[in-house]
Amino acid sequence: MSVTYLGMPPFPQAAAASTRDERLRGNLRHATRTIRDKRAGAVAELADWAALRTAGAQIKDRTLRHLDHYLEQLEASVSAAGGTVHWAADAREANQIVTRLVRETGEREVVKVKSMATQEIGLNEALRRAGISAYETDLAELIVQLGDDHPSHILVPAIHRNRREIREIFREQMGRWGRPAPEGLSDRPAALAEAARLHLREKFLNAKVGISGANFMVAESGTLVVVESEGNGRMCLTLPETLISVVGIEKVVPTWQDLEVFLQLLPRSSTAERMNPYTSTWTGTTDGDGPRDFHLVLLDNGRTDTLADQVGRQTLRCIRCSACLNVCPVYERAGGHAYGSPYPGPIGAILTPQLDSMETGLDASLPYASSLCGACYEVCPVAIDIPEVLVHLRERVVQGGTATVRGQRTTVKPARGHAAERAAMRAASWAFDHPRALRTGERMAARARRLVPRRLPGPGRAWTDTRDVPQVPPESFRDWWRRTRGSPDSAPARDSATGSGSSGQREGTR
């Protein structure tokens, strides 16, 4: 599958290290708060934002229900416009297709416009093994590549780097990849951008092959769409003689009218702009204009398995805006690298395990990389209920169950290390089914409340390493109600003025 980075530890271990990096936390805190404040202002300008959000979710859901139809329509449209469509079931097949297409051109260098799908499948590494050099042209991706690093944010992959770090990367590494950085390079943003422009312009003018992703694909016309802020994408899409686009199958939308909704949702949610500075569209090939050969590689890589999950399939609505990352308290403190995947943050915590079929320790840990505060759902422009999917995946981790893996219905075994949790849940289920036993347990807990430790031993230690055990109240709610109302089964009296239940004291219920 190649969704997660090789050798990455489970999220708790990686986060334990990253949260101790004060400089990283400072960079993330400043960047995410700036982005989310600007986004809030941009969204507030639209009185119909809620309606747009609902429309985006409904369009995505309708498309996913009939995905087979729209993908076949897309293939026919691209082919009619002069392009060639390739189908890739997984990362290995996609890498083989792209490598073969590049080799057939006789070239040994390619330029790339930012594509999370190619990061997902490890395309750069596959090309390198084939003797082909891939050069990232998005500024942040260039910083990550020159620094031999991994992206840590969907929108701003180098968000974990500050200006001084970027200057040093440019000064030390640019010469190894092409045109070196200017002498005396400062850390002013304009100077860094100019150094990147000069370095990349050389690549653009010499490249014969370009590789791209796409934000959207329009089924009715076979048009692909990339939105970006720098113009590097347009250079990659128009100058090379051969263009290869690797795109996840969920990126299709039925019509141009549907696309219009997402071209309003995406820029405001991602860069807090009313429109993206560059919205590039291309449809097949045209004599004398743009690439002579266009290839579209449609990537599955676990997406149809995700589609088969009635709860998890809403993850495929994602338009990669990164709004959920910028409001997530866990991401802000842990950083993107702790998620061990090209997809960090809340969306990565539900997307990566599903694409990867929950097959690694990292996959099993990611659904727990959340406080379930719900902020991610509130800002999602296509209304993905990320907390709901997180809880759903946690259930699969602990209980196992039936799931679709590589197109086959399979019984998934529970992940290791959750035996105590399963036992605790079974005990709780039994207690709730036996009211007398529950009442006895509550009274015993209240009488022994002073003996409850602040830290739990054994398996409970993982929970109390980061929080205190809640204080046990002196009496249960049931006993408090009996004492103050006289019957544990009577309904609360309605207040005639407010329509609410009687206020009373609630000291014993906290």
Side-chain angles (χ1 to χ4, degrees):
M1 289 265 181
S2 300
V3 176
T4 55
Y5 298 127
L6 293 176
M8 285 299 297
F11 180 84
Q13 296 178 26
S18 62
T19 52
R20 290 194 292 267
D21 188 335
E22 294 185 4
R23 181 169 62 178
L24 171 66
R25 293 182 64 175
N27 292 347
L28 288 170
R29 182 168 55 250
H30 172 73
T32 55
R33 291 181 181 180
T34 299
I35 295 171
R36 71 171 175 252
D37 288 346
K38 290 182 177 179
R39 177 203 172 276
V43 167
E45 293 177 350
L46 295 182
D48 62 344
W49 178 259
L52 276 172
R53 184 176 187 244
T54 299
Q58 291 178 345
I59 291 169
K60 281 288 189 177
D61 284 346
R62 185 185 79 234
T63 305
L64 292 171
R65 284 196 301 272
H66 306 286
L67 188 59
D68 54 345
H69 165 74
Y70 291 117
L71 288 174
E72 290 177 351
Q73 183 183 13
L74 175 71
E75 180 183 31
S77 299
V78 170
S79 300
T84 303
V85 177
H86 310 263
W87 298 83
D90 54 27
R92 180 188 59 81
E93 191 172 356
N95 288 333
Q96 288 177 345
I97 292 170
V98 176
T99 301
R100 174 176 57 81
L101 292 174
V102 176
R103 280 177 168 167
E104 288 175 354
T105 69
E107 296 296 317
R108 287 294 178 264
E109 291 186 354
V110 301
V111 291
K112 292 179 62 193
V113 59
K114 181 179 178 183
S115 167
M116 300 202 73
T118 62
Q119 295 170 15
E120 174 189 323
I121 64 176
L123 178 61
N124 286 10
E125 292 75 13
L127 292 174
R128 187 183 306 117
R129 291 192 295 269
I132 301 168
S133 299
Y135 298 106
E136 300 289 351
T137 63
D138 175 87
L139 177 56
E141 292 287 354
L142 174 66
I143 295 167
V144 169
Q145 185 177 49
L146 293 177
D148 192 24
D149 201 351
H150 289 306
S152 62
H153 192 276
I154 290 176
L155 175 66
V156 193
I159 196 172
H160 55 290
R161 299 287 193 181
N162 59 37
R163 291 183 297 167
R164 291 182 293 278
E165 292 175 298
I166 295 170
R167 178 192 62 189
E168 293 307 310
I169 289 172
F170 281 6
R171 290 172 58 183
E172 295 174 7
Q173 301 298 331
M174 265 189 173
R176 294 178 54 241
W177 292 77
R179 178 169 179 155
E183 291 291 334
L185 178 65
S186 73
D187 64 0
R188 292 185 302 108
L192 296 173
E194 177 66 8
R197 188 187 72 84
L198 294 172
H199 177 83
L200 291 172
R201 184 57 58 93
E202 181 181 89
K203 300 296 183 187
F204 289 134
L205 296 177
N206 293 326
K208 302 296 183 183
V209 180
I211 296 177
S212 84
N215 294 96
F216 307 101
M217 303 180 291
V218 183
E220 69 175 355
S221 62
T223 302
L224 275 70
V225 184
V226 160
V227 295
E228 39 122 5
S229 300
E230 301 167 11
N232 296 338
R234 185 160 296 177
M235 300 285 276
C236 279
L237 298 170
T238 56
L239 292 179
E241 296 176 358
T242 299
L243 175 61
I244 305 168
S245 299
V246 183
V247 190
I249 56 176
E250 82 281 13
K251 295 296 185 70
V252 66
V253 296
T255 67
W256 279 85
Q257 186 175 7
D258 296 321
L259 175 65
E260 182 264 341
V261 173
F262 297 106
L263 292 183
Q264 295 184 71
L265 289 170
L266 181 55
R268 290 179 186 268
S269 287
S270 58
T271 57
E273 295 170 301
R274 297 177 181 89
M275 290 182 63
N276 284 93
Y278 293 88
T279 299
S280 299
T281 66
W282 66 102
T283 308
T285 59
T286 302
D287 291 340
D289 183 14
R292 295 198 302 260
D293 296 303
F294 168 58
H295 298 271
L296 171 59
V297 181
L298 291 171
L299 177 67
D300 186 330
N301 205 38
R303 286 161 173 80
T304 53
D305 290 349
T306 304
L307 185 63
D309 187 324
Q310 292 188 358
V311 177
R313 70 174 56 160
Q314 61 185 297
T315 309
L316 297 178
R317 294 181 199 157
C318 178
I319 58 176
R320 309 293 193 266
C321 70
S322 78
C324 62
L325 280 70
N326 299 324
V327 299
C328 178
V330 177
Y331 173 85
E332 183 181 301
R333 289 157 178 80
H337 291 158
Y339 293 83
S341 159
Y343 304 109
I347 189 62
I350 62 173
L351 179 60
T352 298
Q354 293 187 87
L355 295 184
D356 213 23
S357 301
M358 309 286 286
E359 292 183 340
T360 69
L362 174 62
D363 295 332
S365 71
L366 285 175
Y368 294 88
S370 171
S371 65
L372 299 180
C373 68
C376 50
Y377 169 67
E378 295 298 328
V379 300
C380 178
V382 286
I384 302 171
D385 193 341
I386 294 178
E388 179 187 28
V389 182
L390 285 167
V391 172
H392 171 65
L393 294 178
R394 290 181 184 185
E395 180 181 1
R396 188 188 301 178
V397 169
V398 175
Q399 302 288 359
T402 303
T404 302
V405 179
R406 298 180 182 88
Q408 300 294 322
R409 293 299 286 175
T410 305
T411 300
V412 179
K413 295 181 179 180
R416 294 181 179 180
H418 293 272
E421 185 176 352
R422 286 195 296 275
M425 291 299 102
R426 291 192 188 104
S429 177
W430 181 88
F432 286 128
D433 281 341
H434 297 79
R436 290 186 178 181
L438 176 63
R439 188 178 303 117
T440 300
E442 289 173 340
R443 289 173 178 172
M444 291 177 63
R447 291 169 183 170
R449 57 195 296 266
R450 300 184 185 277
L451 302 178
V452 176
R454 296 183 62 188
R455 297 286 186 272
L456 296 177
R461 183 181 304 170
W463 196 82
T464 57
D465 277 347
T466 54
R467 56 181 69 79
D468 291 336
V469 175
Q471 292 185 356
V472 178
E475 62 180 336
S476 68
F477 175 81
R478 185 184 296 270
D479 285 346
W480 172 85
W481 189 265
R482 181 189 296 274
R483 176 172 57 82
T484 58
R485 296 294 188 269
S487 172
D489 301 318
S490 61
R494 305 288 292 180
D495 187 293
S496 58
T498 64
S500 62
S502 302
S503 55
Q505 296 296 312
R506 297 292 191 271
E507 295 90 348
T509 63
R510 288 197 299 269

